[in-house]
Amino acid sequence: MDAEKNVRTKSDIIDAVIDRAGAPSRRIAERYVSGVLDYIQEQVADGHTVQVTGWGKFEPVKQAGRDARNPQTGERVPVEAKWVVKFRPGTEFKRQVAAREA
């Protein structure tokens, strides 16, 4: 199976909003989708956790600094601590994925 065929894009989400929520136009559906995604991104960037019950939780997590190695030279390189985004799927999300045929 071609991996690219399994990729869904923002455009696919917009189409789904038009089909499922009956958005009156593509432009309005795009504004809705962009608004939700922008809100999640802004809130997590500001240090907040965004939780959608049953679906999942986006949270900022501080990744500790560490020593890494340059694979070409073997030289140790310090990597500073940084903030990363962690997504934890909710119960219903996990259930649907687990129910998928292998």
Side-chain angles (χ1 to χ4, degrees):
M1 181 184 300
D2 187 5
E4 286 188 34
K5 290 182 181 179
N6 286 330
V7 174
R8 300 297 180 257
T9 64
K10 184 176 177 181
S11 182
D12 295 322
I13 297 170
I14 292 166
D15 291 340
V17 169
I18 292 167
D19 293 343
R20 295 178 183 199
S25 72
R26 183 167 186 81
R27 178 177 286 163
I28 290 173
E30 186 173 355
R31 286 176 43 198
Y32 291 162
V33 170
S34 292
V36 170
L37 297 176
D38 289 349
Y39 177 80
I40 292 170
Q41 184 174 323
E42 290 165 2
Q43 293 303 305
V44 175
D46 286 343
H48 303 286
T49 295
V50 177
Q51 181 172 341
V52 180
T53 304
W55 192 79
K57 177 167 54 171
F58 294 90
E59 59 187 331
V61 176
K62 186 143 189 185
Q63 194 174 64
R66 61 187 173 85
D67 283 335
R69 287 189 184 270
N70 180 327
Q72 292 181 341
T73 65
E75 176 185 1
R76 287 184 172 263
V77 180
V79 176
E80 293 185 18
K82 63 182 176 180
W83 287 96
V84 296
V85 179
K86 187 172 191 176
F87 174 73
R88 294 181 189 209
T91 305
E92 180 61 21
F93 197 138
K94 287 191 238 181
R95 186 192 65 72
Q96 281 190 337
V97 172
R100 183 173 180 251
E101 290 185 26

